Amino acid sequence: MTDKSIVEQKLRDLGDSTPERVAARFAEVRTRFDEDANRQSANLEAWRSFVVQWTGRKSGMLTHITDNWLKPASPELKRVVGQELNQLKAHVESVLAERQTAIEAAAEQSARTRDQIDFSLPGIEHAIGTRHLIRQTYDDLLRIFGAIGFSVVEGPEIETPYYNFEALNIPEHHPARDNMDTFYIEGSRTGHVLRTHTSPMQIRTMEKQAPPVRIVVPGKVYRRDNPDATHGYMFHQIEGLAVDTDITFCDFKGTVDYFAREFLGPKTKTRLRPSYFPFTEPSAEVDATCHVCGGKGCRVCKQSGWIELFGAGMVNPAVYGFVKYDAERLSGFAFGMGVDRLAMMKYGVAEVPLLFQNDVRFLRQF
Ligand SMILES: [Zn+2]
């Protein structure tokens, strides 16, 4: 900061009453300016305030000299003060202009250095995500069924009881509703539910589409289970439906065999066990030879050589009645797979919660 105390006084008060004293006083000011100018570094901010201190119109050094030294000067000194002031002004302006360019260049250079990338620093590693095990299994299933002409349809997770139960041949008070106990949407006058299976889309598709139908329906479904190692209140399902004029139990068995070989390996064999579902007749549980031991018996298949895959069967003719299909002319089969179960079985995952805890140490393995 340039000291302004002398330029705030009049020359008379400083005792400068001769041309020599005046010249000496100006020389002193000029020296001070040169010293201050030399002290300025490449700091652009400080340089700008230094320029204002000297040339600022309101209270710069030059303005003070004009006001305090030149204007009140005695007639005999006025000429010499004027000359000295002009020389000082010219000097200040030329030095400022010259230094300005250098300082701006230096400031720019230092900013450039600051922004420069140091290639020797360690980089930031971005983890590459993987597809979730459930997604991978879905992709697998869709590929397998897509290859034999099944198309994919998706539907709402909130369903009416009609589509979730009645149209699938599960009337009210039917015992099958017990193990499909679900969540009811509060405040819904029509008693909407979170769907317990993706089967409602079979009905919705057949309502809209004339046969033949070949669809698979992937999606989330809900049951009011208490979460434990093998149950969650939500799981993933894929439902399949094929309806045409000439579909037989043979087609059903052939499709099941094809799926088991594609999903678990070419040596896989299947067997059907009688079962019951309201919307299929006859119904079956599909088992496959264990993919780990090949049927000899191991820990995974609990020494039986077989693992349970999914439930399936021929479409119950009663279902066709709900969608105005000709039950005399048409036949078909349907299946419903638990995707989480299939994934856990295939990849040896012991507990359901592992799938959804989003622990990267777990997810990274697949
Ligand atoms: Zn086994």
Side-chain angles (χ1 to χ4, degrees):
M1 190 77 182
T2 304
D3 180 13
K4 284 186 178 169
S5 57
I6 58 162
V7 299
E8 280 164 348
Q9 302 172 57
K10 299 192 170 51
L11 287 176
R12 195 186 321 121
D13 303 328
L14 291 165
D16 298 335
S17 49
T18 63
E20 292 74 28
R21 293 291 299 265
V22 168
R25 186 63 73 185
F26 270 97
E28 184 196 331
V29 171
R30 178 176 169 141
T31 305
R32 187 177 300 178
F33 168 77
D34 287 343
E35 281 169 6
D36 287 353
N38 283 335
R39 264 201 297 273
Q40 293 305 324
S41 66
N43 184 337
L44 207 53
E45 206 71 359
W47 171 257
R48 281 179 185 143
S49 90
F50 173 68
V51 172
V52 171
Q53 278 166 31
W54 280 87
T55 61
R57 202 169 285 183
K58 258 197 178 152
S59 65
M61 292 289 280
L62 296 175
T63 302
H64 279 302
I65 293 171
T66 306
D67 291 346
N68 298 331
W69 292 3
L70 179 66
K71 285 179 185 166
S74 61
E76 55 271 26
L77 283 180
K78 197 140 206 164
R79 208 171 65 89
V80 68
V81 174
Q83 275 173 358
E84 289 288 346
L85 180 56
N86 282 340
Q87 282 169 19
L88 179 65
K89 262 187 193 163
H91 175 72
V92 165
E93 277 161 13
S94 96
V95 169
L96 289 183
E98 183 193 311
R99 298 287 303 266
Q100 177 79 14
T101 320
I103 281 179
E104 277 177 355
E108 195 177 316
Q109 179 62 40
S110 86
R112 211 178 297 138
T113 312
R114 206 168 44 238
D115 295 343
Q116 231 164 33
I117 295 165
D118 181 350
F119 290 104
S120 69
L121 287 174
I124 299 163
E125 224 178 294
H126 294 283
I128 297 169
T130 57
R131 280 176 311 150
H132 193 277
L133 197 52
I134 296 294
R135 184 72 255 162
Q136 288 182 44
T137 307
Y138 262 133
D139 289 348
D140 220 13
L141 297 170
L142 296 179
R143 174 188 59 76
I144 291 169
F145 287 107
I148 54 170
F150 282 75
S151 50
V152 179
V153 298
E154 287 177 291
E157 289 175 24
I158 295 175
E159 268 295 1
T160 64
Y162 175 77
Y163 284 109
N164 196 75
F165 297 119
E166 273 106 74
L168 288 158
N169 204 29
I170 316 173
E172 216 170 346
H173 309 302
H174 191 290
R177 284 207 187 187
D178 289 350
N179 54 26
M180 282 199 207
D181 202 2
T182 185
F183 299 98
Y184 290 80
I185 305 295
E186 200 173 83
S188 162
R189 239 177 287 153
T190 44
H192 279 79
V193 299
L194 292 184
R195 65 180 178 189
T196 59
H197 42 193
T198 45
S199 315
M201 280 313 290
Q202 295 186 9
I203 304 300
R204 290 180 178 277
T205 304
M206 287 191 284
E207 277 180 347
K208 272 190 287 190
Q209 182 187 328
V213 170
R214 272 182 197 80
I215 55 162
V216 281
V217 188
K220 291 196 196 85
V221 302
Y222 303 84
R223 307 245 173 127
R224 225 178 55 188
D225 277 327
N226 286 323
D228 61 22
T230 52
H231 294 86
Y233 52 82
M234 179 278 295
F235 60 98
H236 298 83
Q237 210 176 40
I238 189 163
E239 188 91 7
L241 174 71
V243 177
D244 207 341
T245 49
D246 52 1
I247 290 185
T248 66
F249 199 86
C250 255
D251 297 312
F252 166 56
K253 182 73 163 68
T255 306
V256 164
D257 282 344
Y258 158 79
F259 164 77
R261 285 195 308 270
E262 287 289 316
F263 188 68
L264 293 174
K267 289 195 178 132
T268 310
K269 293 188 175 57
T270 60
R271 74 175 182 192
L272 303 178
R273 281 181 291 118
S275 185
Y276 172 78
F277 304 108
F279 33 90
T280 47
E281 181 60 40
S283 303
E285 293 288 347
V286 178
D287 295 343
T289 45
C290 176
H291 59 294
V292 177
C293 64
K296 287 189 204 80
C298 71
R299 199 173 52 85
V300 172
C301 58
K302 297 190 185 87
Q303 308 306 328
S304 73
W306 294 95
I307 42 176
E308 212 180 295
L309 281 188
F310 55 90
M314 301 303 286
V315 177
N316 190 324
V319 172
Y320 296 132
F322 287 98
V323 296
K324 312 218 160 43
Y325 269 22
D326 185 351
E328 296 292 314
R329 216 168 54 84
L330 295 168
S331 57
F333 60 83
F335 53 83
M337 303 173 177
V339 176
D340 314 46
R341 234 186 62 74
L342 289 179
M344 288 167 70
M345 186 216 20
K346 184 168 176 177
Y347 297 100
V349 177
E351 294 183 11
V352 170
L354 286 171
L355 292 172
F356 308 112
Q357 282 165 346
N358 288 336
D359 186 332
V360 289
R361 290 169 303 178
F362 169 77
L363 296 174
R364 221 177 252 153
Q365 298 174 69
F366 305 101

